[in-house]
């Protein structure tokens, strides 16, 4: 059973007092923000009065946004520590409410800005030197011109932001706080409470009965609540489609990708290329079945390590090895990693009520915090370096860009994290000669590739399908979602839906389906990371410098341009084909090691 948070070693918890020293300080800032947002109503109608007013109101808007982000980050991270604590649920709701008020107050900004003529815009730039900083910011707004509504319409949308997020919020509370899973055998003669955190570890167990009971136990709960989960997901999809429609986008996908200035061809090329290479996945699945010596392979057999070699490590060991591996980027990067690892930026262990999974968070004015639910295995080591990649990206961006460009697009985010993962794999394969250990590392890499490029593209295909279905008038009942998910899953893994009936409910437990066309970026990011890791490990100092420039760029340029300067053209298929070439190369080595008996 998960421990209460009070029992954790404080050095393994993040220090949120660096954001607000006390809850009372947070509440004081909340009150101040409410007042300041309300006062900002006076700006309406005056944005283009003069060059000076455009600068002043732009800076006022960004200044308030900056403070609200900090307010929200504290509330959401305190809530994530224990999602059952009502106080921080209230804090998070208050932060969302002040953001909704802010959005309503500044709903005038884009409609007013869009009335500026080219001549007036150029005059303003020449009159007010301070506007030069915001040229790229303004340019991005101009590109969205046909999708900006009237001021009244923008106010209505802004006012409904809390309503629009309610399906996602409901899913989060249901999945993290209210759902109770059964106890299942732990493989050591006892039982363990099934949680989001323990589930993966149980599916990695060598005992097939343990895996099966954990799998069936988990999905029995999702089967029980499938209709509720279908409703929250359907509502969320409807929100995406509605907002896309009112903003005159052809689809929710187009709207979501346009936010990052990504052409839909990038999405389509990913799905097409992955589908083309599904025979490689089927080949790996068949090899897995042979190694496990099973008459049939089930979905609950996909996570158990194929190797008998114990690659478990403690959190402290992972910190030491992680710093060693990431030193390849140079002294400056290494210094930042050390700071994150030693100064309580990381919330390490699972506790009762804690949000599941892992992430890197924070805002422009905070540390780049990380949340983990640590287990002593190689996968969690990869997760640590993955989230560290995000945090270093955030740290470099915030230190090198003004607030207006001090974040980066989601599209670029997953590249920094998965480059670290790929560098870890390269480092381990370079230093290990023992065939049994190489087998374990290759197994881990291929499983990581499967879960990132294949699995996330599978998710992307499902996500796109349900948005299109809703747009076409299909009702997203649990029956519809179950069948669609089971069919796509069967296509990807070659394992029949009939033999794996529980997998039809997996869609219900995936929080990323609430993130609005997010998951495809895990796959594109991992593929690009393969490309970049190769350059960093085997290339020149210039390749490393270009990579660090990408980390520093933030939103100062369009995402595709930022990553192209680092050496990856993501509008072409080459980076994807290169990733599959690495996968096949490592699959071949694994097959050869199996032939030698290295897995025994």
């Amino acid at each position: 059973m998960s421990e209460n948070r009070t029992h954790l070693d404080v050095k393994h918890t993040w220090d949120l007092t660096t954001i607000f020293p006390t809850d009372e300080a947070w509440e004081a800032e909340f009150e101040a923000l409410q007042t300041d947002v309300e006062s900002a109503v006076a700006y309406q109608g005056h944005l283009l009065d003069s060059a000076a007013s455009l600068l002043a109101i732009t800076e006022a808007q960004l200044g308030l946004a900056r403070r609200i982000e900090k307010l929200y980050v504290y509330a959401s991270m305190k809530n994530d520590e224990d999602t059952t604590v009502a106080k921080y649920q209230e804090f998070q709701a208050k932060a969302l409410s002040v953001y909704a008020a802010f959005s309503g107050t500044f709903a005038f900004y884009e409609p007013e800005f869009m009335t500026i003529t080219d001549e007036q815009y150029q005059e303003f730039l020449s009159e007010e030197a301070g506007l030069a900083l915001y040229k790229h910011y303004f340019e991005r707004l101009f590109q969205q011109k046909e999708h900006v509504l009237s001021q009244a319409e923008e106010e209505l949308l802004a006012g409904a932001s809390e309503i629009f997020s309610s399906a996602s919020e409901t899913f989060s509370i249901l999945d993290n706080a209210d759902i109770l899973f059964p106890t299942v055998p732990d493989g050591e003669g006892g039982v363990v409470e099934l949680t989001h955190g323990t589930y993966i570890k149980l599916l990695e167990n060598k005992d097939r009965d343990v895996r099966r009971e954990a799998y069936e136990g988990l999905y029995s709960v999702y089967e029980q609540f499938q209709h509720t989960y279908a409703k929250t997901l359907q509502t969320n999809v409807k929100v995406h489609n509605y907002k896309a429609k009112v903003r005159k986008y052809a689809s929710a996908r187009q709207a979501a990708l346009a936010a990052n200035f990504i052409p839909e061809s990038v999405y389509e090329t990913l799905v097409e290329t992955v589908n083309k290479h599904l025979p490689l996945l089927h080949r790996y699945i068949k090899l897995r079945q042979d190694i496990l010596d099973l008459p049939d392979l089930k979905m609950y057999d996909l996570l158990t390590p194929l190797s008998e070699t114990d690659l478990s490590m403690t959190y402290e060991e992972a910190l030491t090895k992680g710093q060693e591996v990431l030193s390849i980027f140079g002294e400056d990067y290494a210094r930042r990693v050390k700071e994150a690892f030693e100064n309580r930026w990381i919330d390490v262990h699972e506790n009762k009520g804690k949000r599941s999974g892992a992430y890197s968070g924070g805002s422009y004015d905070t540390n780049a915090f990380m949340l983990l639910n640590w287990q002593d295995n190689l996968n969690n080591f990869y997760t640590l370096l993955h989230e560290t990649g995000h945090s270093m990206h955030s740290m470099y961006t915030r230190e090198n860009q003004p607030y207006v460009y001090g974040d980066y697009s989601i599209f670029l985010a997953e590249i920094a994290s998965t480059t670290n993962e790929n560098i870890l794999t390269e480092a381990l394969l370079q230093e290990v000669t023992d065939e049994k250990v190489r087998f374990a590392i290759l197994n881990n890499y291929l499983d990581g590739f499967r879960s990132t490029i294949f699995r996330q593209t599978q998710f992307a295909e499902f996500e796109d399908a349900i948005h299109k279905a809703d747009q076409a008038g299909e009702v997203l009942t649990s029956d519809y979602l179950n069948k669609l998910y089971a069919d796509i899953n069967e296509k990807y893994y070659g394992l029949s839906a009939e033999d794996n009936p529980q997998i039809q409910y997996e869609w219900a437990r995936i929080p990323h389906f609430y993130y609005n066309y997010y998951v495809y970026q895990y796959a594109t990011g991992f593929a690009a990371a393969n490309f970049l890791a190769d350059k960093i490990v085997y290339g020149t100092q210039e390749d490393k410098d270009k990579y660090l420039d990408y980390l520093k760029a933030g939103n100062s340029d369009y995402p595709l341009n930022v990553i192209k300067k680092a050496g990856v053209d993501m509008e072409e298929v080459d980076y994807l084909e290169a990733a599959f070439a690495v996968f096949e190369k490592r699959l071949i080595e694994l097959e050869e090691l199996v032939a030698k008996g290295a897995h025994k």
Side-chain angles (χ1 to χ4, degrees):
M1 189 169 180
S2 300
E3 283 190 300
N4 287 321
R5 189 168 179 83
T6 52
H7 296 150
L8 299 179
D9 187 333
V10 70
K11 74 176 183 180
H12 287 160
T13 62
W14 52 27
D15 181 8
L16 302 188
T17 63
T18 59
I19 307 178
F20 288 99
T22 62
D23 287 352
E24 290 72 25
W26 184 93
E27 289 176 302
E29 173 65 349
F30 170 71
E31 296 293 337
L33 271 167
Q34 281 188 306
T35 301
D36 293 347
V37 167
E38 190 175 325
S39 300
V41 171
Y43 293 130
Q44 184 175 325
H46 300 289
L47 184 67
L48 302 181
D49 283 0
S50 65
S53 67
L54 175 59
L55 178 62
I57 294 172
T58 298
E59 291 186 336
Q61 178 193 35
L62 291 168
L64 285 170
R66 181 172 174 174
R67 289 168 60 195
I68 292 169
E69 283 178 15
K70 184 178 176 183
L71 188 84
Y72 178 79
V73 158
Y74 180 86
S76 66
M77 291 171 71
K78 290 295 287 185
N79 185 53
D80 287 346
E81 290 178 356
D82 185 346
T83 58
T84 65
V85 178
K87 178 181 183 179
Y88 297 117
Q89 291 178 20
E90 182 185 351
F91 271 30
Q92 190 166 8
K94 283 181 173 180
L96 287 170
S97 72
V98 78
Y99 179 75
F102 163 81
S103 298
T105 295
F106 284 94
F108 72 86
Y109 187 95
E110 289 187 15
E112 283 190 32
F113 180 78
M114 294 309 180
T115 65
I116 197 169
T117 63
D118 288 343
E119 183 181 8
Q120 186 181 22
Y121 179 64
Q122 295 304 326
E123 283 179 6
F124 278 10
L125 288 178
S126 62
E127 289 173 15
E128 177 54 73
L131 289 172
L133 174 65
Y134 301 100
K135 283 177 72 175
H136 181 63
Y137 175 71
F138 294 143
E139 185 181 302
R140 292 166 79 106
L141 290 178
F142 283 133
Q143 293 214 22
Q144 304 291 337
K145 187 169 185 176
E146 64 183 285
H147 305 292
V148 175
L149 307 178
S150 69
Q151 183 177 326
E153 290 168 327
E154 291 290 349
E155 286 175 356
L156 285 172
L157 282 180
S161 63
E162 288 180 272
I163 300 169
F164 289 150
S165 66
S166 63
S168 177
E169 294 290 323
T170 302
F171 165 82
S172 181
I173 291 171
L174 176 64
D175 209 53
N176 289 300
D178 288 347
I179 286 292
L180 293 175
F181 296 106
T183 56
V184 294
D186 62 4
E188 297 174 3
V191 294
V192 63
E193 180 188 0
L194 193 57
T195 68
H196 291 295
T198 60
Y199 174 67
I200 299 300
K201 193 165 182 66
L202 288 166
L203 255 64
E204 292 170 348
N205 198 289
K206 300 289 186 182
D207 186 332
R208 198 180 195 202
D209 288 336
V210 170
R211 302 197 299 269
R212 177 181 53 77
E213 293 208 38
Y215 178 81
E216 291 178 355
L218 185 94
Y219 285 115
S220 68
V221 176
Y222 284 104
E223 180 181 8
Q224 181 185 353
F225 292 99
Q226 62 180 298
H227 305 296
T228 302
Y229 281 107
K231 194 63 179 176
T232 58
L233 184 56
Q234 179 189 42
T235 302
N236 207 62
V237 168
K238 283 187 176 297
V239 167
H240 296 161
N241 280 336
Y242 174 76
K243 290 168 80 172
K245 182 179 178 181
V246 299
R247 290 198 178 280
K248 303 180 180 67
Y249 287 102
S251 66
R253 187 179 80 180
Q254 185 189 59
L257 270 63
N260 289 320
F261 304 93
I262 306 298
E264 289 185 274
S265 61
V266 171
Y267 198 103
E268 291 160 357
T269 299
L270 171 69
V271 174
E272 287 170 11
T273 309
V274 170
N275 271 267
K276 170 185 162 187
H277 290 285
L278 285 179
L280 277 178
L281 178 57
H282 297 163
R283 181 170 146 194
Y284 179 52
I285 295 295
K286 180 63 171 66
L287 181 64
R288 171 173 279 275
Q289 181 178 343
D290 293 343
I291 294 167
L292 293 173
D293 193 23
L294 297 173
D296 63 337
L297 195 79
K298 302 289 191 184
M299 288 301 297
Y300 54 76
D301 297 317
L302 294 185
L303 296 187
T304 183
L306 301 176
S307 169
E308 297 296 329
T309 305
D310 183 12
L311 289 178
S312 67
M313 63 172 62
T314 66
Y315 177 66
E316 300 300 336
E317 289 169 341
L319 292 182
T320 301
K321 185 65 176 177
Q323 290 182 78
E324 176 192 321
V325 169
L326 296 179
S327 66
I328 194 170
F329 288 110
E331 288 183 15
D332 188 62
Y333 191 101
R335 174 182 59 80
R336 295 161 194 271
V337 171
K338 191 173 191 293
E339 182 180 353
F341 285 3
E342 293 183 355
N343 292 339
R344 294 184 59 200
W345 290 24
I346 308 175
D347 205 75
V348 182
H349 298 292
E350 184 180 13
N351 59 258
K352 190 173 182 180
K354 184 176 175 181
R355 182 194 190 276
S356 63
Y359 67 71
S360 167
S363 72
Y364 189 81
D365 292 307
T366 75
N367 295 327
F369 293 101
M370 293 174 249
L371 178 138
L372 304 175
N373 281 275
W374 180 265
Q375 305 284 338
D376 288 346
N377 57 42
L378 191 61
N379 279 339
N380 275 252
F381 183 27
Y382 272 88
T383 299
L384 171 64
L385 263 63
H386 177 104
E387 301 307 340
T388 300
H390 284 310
S391 289
M392 294 304 103
H393 193 183
S394 298
M395 198 175 181
Y396 271 108
T397 294
R398 292 166 190 165
E399 288 183 12
N400 287 278
Q401 297 296 333
Y403 174 75
V404 65
Y405 306 127
D407 198 0
Y408 42 81
S409 75
I410 291 169
F411 183 76
L412 294 183
E414 293 307 324
I415 297 172
S417 53
T418 46
T419 295
N420 278 13
E421 289 191 53
N422 279 276
I423 285 171
L424 173 56
T425 299
E426 289 290 342
L428 293 175
L429 288 174
Q430 278 183 7
E431 66 187 41
V432 169
T433 55
D434 182 278
E435 289 186 343
K436 290 186 181 298
V437 178
R438 287 187 72 81
F439 177 90
I441 295 165
L442 289 165
N443 169 206
N444 189 78
Y445 171 80
L446 294 170
D447 279 344
F449 193 108
R450 177 196 64 76
S451 65
T452 307
I453 291 190
F454 286 113
R455 181 170 167 80
Q456 300 302 329
T457 305
Q458 172 196 354
F459 286 173
E461 200 167 329
F462 174 77
E463 180 179 30
D464 197 32
I466 60 177
H467 281 81
K468 287 176 177 174
D470 176 72
Q471 191 176 20
E474 184 70 53
V475 180
L476 302 183
T477 62
S478 58
D479 286 347
Y480 181 88
L481 294 168
N482 292 343
K483 184 178 187 312
L484 175 65
Y485 194 88
D487 288 347
I488 293 175
N489 192 80
E490 182 173 326
K491 177 179 73 168
Y492 270 73
Y493 293 98
L495 303 177
S496 77
E498 186 178 355
D499 290 341
N500 295 272
Q502 290 87 1
I503 202 63
Q504 67 182 311
Y505 308 116
E506 186 175 43
W507 58 267
R509 60 179 281 259
I510 308 300
H512 295 78
F513 290 148
Y514 294 82
Y515 294 4
N516 195 13
Y517 285 90
Y518 185 105
V519 290
Y520 86 97
Q521 296 159 122
Y522 283 119
T524 55
F526 191 93
N530 262 271
F531 215 80
L532 289 167
D534 188 70
K535 288 176 176 289
I536 291 161
V537 175
Y538 301 108
T540 64
Q541 183 60 44
E542 184 184 4
D543 291 316
K544 293 177 185 177
D545 292 342
K546 284 181 178 180
Y547 182 82
L548 293 178
D549 285 344
Y550 140 67
L551 296 183
K552 297 171 184 176
N555 280 326
S556 62
D557 198 353
Y558 297 109
L560 288 178
N561 291 345
V562 169
I563 200 62
K564 197 170 186 177
K565 290 172 187 173
V568 186
D569 187 345
M570 297 185 74
E571 290 188 87
E572 299 296 330
V573 76
D574 299 11
Y575 79 103
L576 292 167
E577 292 290 356
F580 285 109
V582 173
F583 181 85
E584 185 167 23
K585 173 188 170 187
R586 290 183 174 160
L587 177 57
I588 289 169
E589 184 179 352
L590 193 74
E591 290 168 336
E592 290 171 347
L593 289 171
V594 170
K596 294 179 181 179
H599 60 295
K600 294 178 181 177

